[in-house]
Structures are given as structure tokens and as C-alpha cells.
Amino acid sequence: MTSGFYVDPGSNPAAWVRANPSHPDAAAIRTRIAEQAGGRWFGNWSGDIRAAVSSYTTAADAVDKLPILVAYNIPGRDCGSHSGGGAGSPAAYRTWISAFAAGIGNRPAVVVIEPDALAQLDCVPAAEKKTRTDLLKYAVNELAAKAPNTWAYMDGGNATWIDAAEMARRLKLVEVGKIRGFALNTSNYYTNDQSVAKGNAIRGALGGTAQFVIDSSRNGNGSNGEWCNPAGRRLGETSRNGNHLSATLDLLVWLKVPGDSDGDCGTGRGIPAGTFSPVLAKNLITG
């Protein structure tokens, strides 16, 4: 329905380049990162969520491009770690995700639902686990009902986090069969080959129907076992069709914005999660 992916003109790297045109790394960051299509993350910082999503998808539709959105507002997000936060209650989340889906409407989009929410289910208190899976199931059903031209994917962890059979069980709990499939490697570093193998294992455990996407934004050098601003990582393949790697892989997409910190850790010490750093960006360009 579109002629390629939408490049977010309001991304942190794009804003930094506009503000720092004479910086020695500005040209490289502009061409290698800011001008590449990637995801825009929506959460409790987004204000009126229906208006925010509608504005973004309308802008993409106006230029016949496909926007990539990440919904990231589950209560108890990130188990209270570097990206902690989220909606204040289950009712608030239902209202939020319903408005998110309505903001897309009939426009085409790619949506990844709640990174880490299923993989981090083990950190959720026992009495609240069903509440979380019920909220994710609600998100699936809202997107299926209100955004019919969206390919939505429930986040399914990464290549070494939660075995395939268990992740498939969790995906079934949230009725993943009602959307396009699941996402792997969000904000992580595992290679495409590792993620394809894990994706096909999960797909098999689901019964062989779901498709999947891989976050390839920072996996050019693979993983060294660290997840929080590790040294020596590199940009991966830019957003594109994924069928050259596997018929079951819909897309490679830049979900994590390269140069945005994972938190006050690793090579991003002192840089809060979600804050752009030209140093982190340059390191990903050079490896």
C-alpha cells in the first residue's frame, strides 16, 4: 500500500543534526542514521496519544510511506529499570492503547507492541501476571479491530531470552494469531541469522502461521552478551523486506533509534535512557 518506509523527521538523531550542522560527525550521523527509516516510540511522554499517532501516520500517508511505530506504555514497564514507567493503572492502559489504535485507523502502518512485556513476565508479581497478559491481549484485539491495514507484531524477546516453546505459550495467551505475528531483538544486538533461527522455532511452536520482524538497527557486529550500551557494536541492515533471509521473516526494521542511550550504563554512562548521544551514534557507525 506504500512506496517504502517513512523516515521520521522528528527523530532524536535528525533533531541533533539540525541543531549541530557544523559538528565534525554531523554529516555521517545524518546520512547513516537520521536519513534512515526507523521506529518512533510512543509512551507516557507522547501527550494526547490519539492525536500524536494520528499526526505521525497522517504525515507518512501523505507522502505514500509506511511508518513504523512502537507502543511502549505497559504498566510496570521494564520492571522499573532504566526505561521504567508506563501507564498508571490497567484501566489507564486500556484507554491509552485503544486511542493509539484509533489514531492509526485505516492508514497503513507497522506496529511493534510493548517491547519486553512478555519476556519480562517473570519479574511481574504472581498476582499481576494475568493482568499483564490480559492487557497485551486487549492491545492485540484493539489493533486488529481498529487498524485493519496495520501489520502488528507482539514483542517476543530475543535469540537467547526465553526458550521458543515458552515464548510461543505466552504469545498464544495474548492471542497473537489475531495480528501479523511477533517481533524479535528489539533494542538488542543478536545477528539476523540468530534471530531467524529463534523466530522459526517460535513460529513452529505456534503452529506455523505467524510471521515475524527483526530489529536490525544495531546488530551489525552481533552481540557480546551485554545489552546496555555495549562497546564495539555496529549498525545493521537498514529497514527492508526480510524475505532474502527467510520466507517467514516479513521485515528487518530499525526499531531502536541508533544513538539513543539504553540507560546510564556501559558506554552510555551518565546518559539517560532514550537520550541521543553523538558519541554512541558515531561508535555504531564505526563499530
Side-chain angles (χ1 to χ4, degrees), residues 53-118:
V53 168
S54 178
S55 174
Y56 191 63
T57 54
T58 297
D61 196 42
V63 291
D64 193 35
K65 298 297 182 183
L66 181 65
I68 304 164
L69 298 82
V70 182
Y72 195 49
N73 200 36
I74 197 79
R77 189 179 63 215
D78 199 28
C79 295
S81 188
H82 295 290
S83 296
S89 69
Y93 183 75
R94 290 188 186 93
T95 298
W96 186 90
I97 197 67
S98 179
F100 179 101
I104 300 172
N106 289 326
R107 289 181 288 274
V110 169
V111 172
V112 172
I113 305 169
E114 299 299 340
D116 300 341
L118 276 182

